[in-house]
Amino acid sequence: MSGGHGAPAWIAAPGRPLAGRLRVPGDKSVSHRAVMLGALAEGTTRVTGFLEGEDTCATAAILQRLGVRIEAPGEGERLVHGVGLHGLRAAEGPLDCGNAGTGMRLLAGLLAGQGFDSVLTGDASLSKRPMRRVIEPLERMGARIDSEGGLPPLRIHAKNALQSIDYECPVASAQVKSAILLAGLYASGPTTVREPHPTRDYTERMLAAFGADLEFAPGIATLRPGRVLTATSVDVPADFSSAAFFLVAASLIPGSHLVLERVGVNPRRTGLLDALKLMGADIRLRPAGEQGGEPVADLEVRAAPLRGAVIPEALVPDMIDEFPALFAAAALAEGTTVVRGAAELRVKESDRIAVMAEGLRALGAAIDETPDGAVITGSGFTAKAGSGTSAGTRSGALRGGRADSRGDHRIAMSLAVAAQCAAGEVRIDDVANVATSFPGFDALARGVGFGLRLA
Ligand code: S3P
């Protein structure tokens, strides 16, 4: 993605009503885990639907540097020739996780119990993200990890065996839970993780599919070490978080009707559906069986007048990556939306409360930050705009202008959604990182009616 001088930018403009069927790329969380567990398994794991994004490719490249042979016979396909739990070997030099918090935190757990040293680094955004949340429990298990101020790089020292632990997570984080469970594969006894609120359970489901000895229920998981992992095949479902931009855009743009095919609908990911339904969205879920051990569904969305809502705090962990998109919906709904209990948004790829507030305000939206959320007074666009009304005369439209994604992929895409409901062109700066989770977003979005091109 290069668009003239400096970091790439998009020009987004009101497009046509969205129409068609589309399949978004593979789930990022599942893709990371599939190659990691494939690497630790005995035998060859075949991954299909693998997300060809920078984050997941960085994880695969690190595993290759640790001695795992990974073939890519086709788009979205990986053959991971597992080396077994004790077959990884030291890599020369630092292991670059790129932009990926999932990559770094899960690999920290996986590498904590190896008999060699490793150094995990990341890009400028990842280098500001809190790692103490994994360092602390891993150290309690006996790992030795150096960092400055709890930030990357992480220097992980050789350790041949870890201790078992029963750990109560202070934050609801699937990454922390997963790091501990992966370290638990190398512990002397059972490892239990308890969560303040249930988070996505992909690590647990996939460990079970690879033959690990574990029990789990929402909010708790116990892994007993000692069993080998056995290669399997993983067919990665489409990423709900990538589908989210289209669910919101089609809800907002009058006259839209879209079907998103075979999206992963693990209930720990679909909080946005509940939030949008509270706001009056018209989204139907048609179950389409299971894929890669996960429930999948076709999601059919039609434009609807949205109302503001108080987002229940209990939904926050189930929609943690969808708040930038929700903020865009709220800015165009009728009435006030209140988000609370979402302070974690401040330590994602960017401070997503501050950066979304800044970006939406630049387009004329009324949004006030709070320490753990935001209060957004919608423009009433969806209620006022009649289908087919030309952009320039739409009442409640945002204004054209310029907004900065601050290098955060989900913010870039959420601003592109909001810009579909502006009265003029919007330049969105610093969009290169969209390739971390959703390569080809702009082309796919244009194909269903978005106004979006490289600057
Ligand atoms: C992820 C967990 C979430 C999420 C991230 C992916 C995962 O992070 O925001 O995009 O794959 O486990 P936290 O565990 O920090 O909440």
Side-chain angles (χ1 to χ4, degrees):
M1 276 213 223
S2 99
H5 304 290
W10 283 332
I11 303 294
R16 27 182 186 91
L18 304 186
R21 300 179 72 87
L22 77 163
R23 177 124 184 215
V24 299
D27 188 278
K28 182 149 73 79
S29 294
V30 175
S31 295
H32 277 296
R33 288 160 171 83
V35 287
M36 287 184 200
L37 293 190
L40 300 180
E42 299 194 351
T44 300
T45 290
R46 183 183 155 83
V47 186
T48 46
F50 181 75
L51 171 64
E52 299 282 1
E54 289 173 0
D55 277 11
T56 43
C57 289
T59 290
I62 287 173
L63 295 166
Q64 288 175 305
R65 302 243 339 261
L66 293 165
V68 182
R69 194 157 69 83
I70 302 180
E71 294 175 87
E75 168 93 14
E77 276 181 69
R78 292 295 183 277
L79 291 176
V80 185
H81 299 279
V83 294
L85 281 169
H86 300 283
L88 297 178
R89 55 173 163 71
E92 286 276 317
L95 302 167
D96 185 358
C97 302
N99 191 242
T102 306
M104 183 171 285
R105 294 193 178 117
L106 270 60
L107 285 167
L110 190 157
L111 291 169
Q114 306 290 338
F116 53 82
D117 296 354
S118 309
V119 180
L120 294 172
T121 62
D123 71 2
S125 152
L126 184 53
S127 299
K128 286 191 239 154
R129 297 185 64 188
M131 293 297 147
R132 239 195 275 279
R133 54 181 62 194
V134 287
I135 296 172
E136 193 253 339
L138 293 174
E139 283 185 341
R140 282 212 219 168
M141 296 176 80
R144 278 186 50 224
I145 303 177
D146 296 331
S147 74
E148 256 176 55
L151 298 174
L154 300 183
R155 291 170 203 287
I156 303 170
H157 296 280
K159 191 82 198 179
N160 275 314
L162 298 173
Q163 290 138 33
S164 63
I165 190 176
D166 185 331
Y167 188 69
E168 200 138 335
C169 269
V171 279
S173 163
Q175 294 177 356
V176 173
K177 169 178 64 178
S178 302
I180 299 167
L181 291 175
L182 291 174
L185 292 169
Y186 299 91
S188 54
T191 294
T192 296
V193 186
R194 301 170 199 272
E195 303 183 278
H197 188 287
T199 63
R200 63 190 74 187
D201 55 1
Y202 299 126
T203 304
E204 297 92 305
R205 286 169 179 247
M206 213 184 284
L207 277 167
F210 277 81
D213 182 3
L214 89 163
E215 280 158 30
F216 61 99
I220 183 163
T222 297
L223 173 100
R224 275 171 296 276
R227 275 207 205 148
V228 296
L229 300 184
T230 306
T232 182
S233 50
V234 182
D235 189 11
V236 181
D239 197 322
F240 183 87
S241 295
S242 296
F245 306 108
F246 293 96
L247 295 176
V248 170
S251 296
L252 290 174
I253 302 168
S256 295
H257 177 202
L258 275 185
V259 177
L260 292 139
E261 294 174 344
R262 301 193 67 75
V263 181
V265 288
N266 181 310
R268 299 280 72 81
R269 291 292 297 285
T270 53
L272 180 74
L273 291 180
D274 301 311
L276 287 176
K277 277 186 193 148
L278 277 178
M279 296 174 78
D282 178 358
I283 301 175
R284 275 159 229 210
L285 188 147
R286 301 194 199 290
E290 283 214 347
Q291 189 175 324
E294 291 292 329
V296 293
D298 291 344
L299 302 176
E300 181 170 17
V301 52
R302 286 189 168 81
L306 300 187
R307 309 176 289 274
V310 176
I311 307 302
E313 280 187 47
L315 283 182
V316 169
D318 295 347
M319 57 179 291
I320 193 65
D321 291 335
E322 279 58 78
F323 280 98
L326 178 93
F327 281 21
L332 290 143
E334 176 92 57
T336 302
T337 295
V338 180
V339 172
R340 302 189 190 104
E344 273 293 298
L345 295 177
R346 295 203 181 270
V347 291
K348 292 294 178 187
E349 286 82 327
S350 70
D351 176 340
R352 286 185 169 158
I353 297 175
V355 176
M356 272 312 284
E358 173 193 60
L360 287 173
R361 247 185 245 129
L363 306 182
I367 165 164
D368 290 318
E369 280 184 53
T370 60
D372 65 344
V375 178
I376 303 160
T377 307
S379 64
F381 173 79
T382 59
K384 290 171 190 156
S387 133
T389 315
S390 79
T393 59
R394 286 172 176 178
S395 74
L398 297 175
R399 60 171 180 253
R402 186 167 183 168
D404 198 327
S405 78
R406 306 268 171 216
D408 184 321
H409 55 131
R410 298 202 199 284
I411 289 190
M413 292 182 273
S414 299
L415 291 172
V417 168
Q420 302 309 304
C421 310
E425 279 192 353
V426 177
R427 181 188 166 96
I428 303 166
D429 288 315
D430 205 358
V431 302
N433 275 339
V434 168
T436 60
S437 70
F438 200 155
F441 168 77
D442 46 356
L444 201 61
R446 263 195 309 279
V448 293
F450 269 64
L452 189 63
R453 60 185 161 84
L454 275 176

